[in-house]
Amino acid sequence: MTTPASYHPADPESVFTYGAPQLKFGHGAADEIGYDLSLTGARRVLVVTDPGVAATGNPQRVAEQMGQFGIEAHVFDGSHVEPTDESLQRAIDHARESGPWDAYVAVGGGSSIDTAKAINLLTTNPGELMDYINVPVGGGKDPVDPLKPLIAVPTTTGTGSESTTICVMDVLSLKVKTGISHARLRPTLAVIDPSLTLTQPAGVTAAAGMDILCHALESYTARPYTSYERKRPEQRVPYCGSNPIADMWSEKALSLLAESFRTAVHHGDDEDARGMMALAATFAGMGFGNAGVHIPHANAYPIAGRVKDFHPKDYPADEPMVPHGMSVALTAPEAFRFTFDASPERHRRAALLLAPGAQEPDDPAELLPSVLIALMRDIDIPDGVGAVGYTESDIPDLVDGTMKQQRLLATAPKPVTEDDIAGIYQRSLSLW
Ligand SMILES: NC(=O)c1ccc[n+]([C@@H]2O[C@H](COP(=O)([O-])OP(=O)(O)OC[C@H]3O[C@@H](n4cnc5c(N)ncnc54)[C@H](O)[C@@H]3O)[C@@H](O)[C@H]2O)c1
Ligand SMILES: [Zn+2]
């Protein structure tokens, strides 16, 4: 792989890693969860979901089917849409009080899956949530004991959380989004059944789909693994930079999105489009879960964490929020305009995978931003950070929030300064 000119490792890394859970994919896959769990010897299982997904009846159906295998299953529908430290604590308290549990099954989007990861960690390991949250917000402690089996069953087509090692949350008192990241958090089995995703409202399909797209684009353009200093074995982290295996998943995810994204948003009952979106989410998860993401995700954290009064269509109306995928998308066109010169050919190739046959503008740096903006307009994503309530005077605060995400910025294909991020926000106030 070519190392971008901006990085000069003295002793370049020559090793990359790849991790993924066991996976079952396809229509009807969710009907086999009772059998899959019976193989683990589980007798008492907690099914974790949120109220919106519970209203589809799917979590209850998954729970009932376990009865045939002599498994007692309970449904907890208290996951918060976009978990907070407080919502996770309530979920952990519930699981501790009603436990012990032999295994967990998460049925829902990233919010329910991440809630189940936190429950699993804190019912099997000593200490409290803050001990495990990434530094500098938390203690960054590693789990010492093995976790219980966790089956993740996504009902959105987005996060890829069913195959990743992270749990994302808002820490309310600090107004920051952060997470817990450790290989042991990865679900033991991902069960991806596209039929569970058909009821996703259009607004959720659009925002979650932008998450897939940015996972693929950011991991494809991430700093290559060879541009890091060589690590010792005990220093290896799940995110190792772009590499040939992650690239393959990201490229394929982009082609699937090209075929299915607009249709899935505008014709939610199109089973073929839903199936392709589910595959795309899985593929992008396998890519970014190993390569990492960078500037759009680093910006997404303060954009979501400092929300004022924005209420997106098709999400719970009780609290203001900028959904994860939407918050990632809003600065993506500008972020890729900024990173273009680190790897022009990758940016061009990604744009053409997403929009085969797109007209190539005179300035090649404009191709990916223009393809992204055309898509965002078609699926009704708001026009920049201005459209979700931010003004120029908020930029210093947003920049400050982004600069705290050093773990993500370290994966950017070139070094990023505060001024660079301020410029990206400034030009993202309105995108079209
Ligand atoms: N752990 C990871 O690897 C990872 C990666 C990216 C994002 N995330 C996190 O995941 C969360 C976002 O998850 P998400 O985008 O999957 O959405 P979500 O879980 O927040 O759900 C969004 C909304 O859609 C509803 N919903 C979900 N599936 C539905 C269905 N099939 N039918 C009807 N309604 C449905 C939910 O009730 C909710 O109101 C954020 O907290 C984000 O930070 C985690
Ligand atoms: Zn994401």
Side-chain angles (χ1 to χ4, degrees), residues 158-159 211-212 214-215 288 293 297 301 324-325 328:
T159 69
D211 197 23
I212 308 179
C214 290
H215 289 159
F288 99 86
V293 285
H297 269 77
Y301 284 0
H324 173 71
V328 174

Side-chain angles (χ1 to χ4, degrees), residues 50-53 56 81-83 108-112 114 117 155-156 158-161 164 166-168 177 196-201 204 208 211 215 288 297 301 314-316 324-325:
D50 74 64
V53 176
T56 67
V81 178
E82 311 254 334
S111 297
S112 299
D114 286 2
K117 288 177 181 173
T155 62
T156 58
T159 69
S161 177
T164 70
I166 45 178
C167 158
V168 184
K177 267 211 166 200
L196 302 188
T197 71
L198 285 164
T199 49
Q200 264 178 115
V204 173
D211 197 23
H215 289 159
F288 99 86
H297 269 77
Y301 284 0
D314 295 335
Y315 281 81
H324 173 71

Side-chain angles (χ1 to χ4, degrees), residues 178-371:
T178 179
I180 304 175
S181 175
H182 192 276
R184 287 201 186 170
L185 291 192
R186 197 193 306 276
T188 24
L189 174 67
V191 174
I192 301 140
D193 186 335
S195 41
L196 302 188
T197 71
L198 285 164
T199 49
Q200 264 178 115
V204 173
T205 307
M210 287 307 295
D211 197 23
I212 308 179
L213 174 50
C214 290
H215 289 159
L217 290 175
E218 290 172 55
S219 47
Y220 194 57
T221 55
R223 184 179 163 178
Y225 74 101
T226 46
S227 72
Y228 290 86
E229 293 293 343
R230 185 181 299 281
K231 293 183 188 65
R232 293 192 305 275
E234 70 277 15
Q235 293 175 318
R236 300 208 179 280
V237 288
Y239 293 145
C240 48
S242 62
N243 62 72
I245 291 181
D247 286 353
M248 187 188 69
W249 293 113
S250 303
E251 287 181 358
K252 189 67 189 161
L254 291 169
S255 299
L256 286 162
L257 288 167
E259 275 190 75
S260 59
F261 196 176
R262 286 174 171 87
T263 310
V265 173
H266 296 301
H267 305 281
D269 56 353
D270 187 314
E271 292 189 18
D272 289 343
R274 291 294 196 185
M276 280 191 257
M277 290 295 283
L279 262 188
T282 306
F283 286 8
M286 291 174 164
F288 99 86
N290 292 287
V293 285
H294 55 89
I295 301 172
H297 269 77
N299 290 343
Y301 284 0
I303 292 171
R306 285 158 202 262
V307 61
K308 298 174 190 177
D309 194 28
F310 182 72
H311 292 265
K313 188 165 88 46
D314 295 335
Y315 281 81
D318 47 342
E319 290 170 18
M321 70 181 293
V322 185
H324 173 71
M326 186 185 285
S327 63
V328 174
L330 296 175
T331 64
E334 280 306 323
F336 293 117
R337 196 172 268 139
F338 167 74
T339 55
F340 176 79
D341 60 357
S343 52
E345 191 41 46
R346 277 185 177 249
H347 286 67
R348 177 174 177 272
R349 178 159 168 73
L352 293 176
L353 286 169
L354 183 60
Q359 181 96 35
E360 299 204 37
D362 293 341
D363 178 357
E366 292 305 312
L367 180 60
L368 184 52
S370 67
V371 160

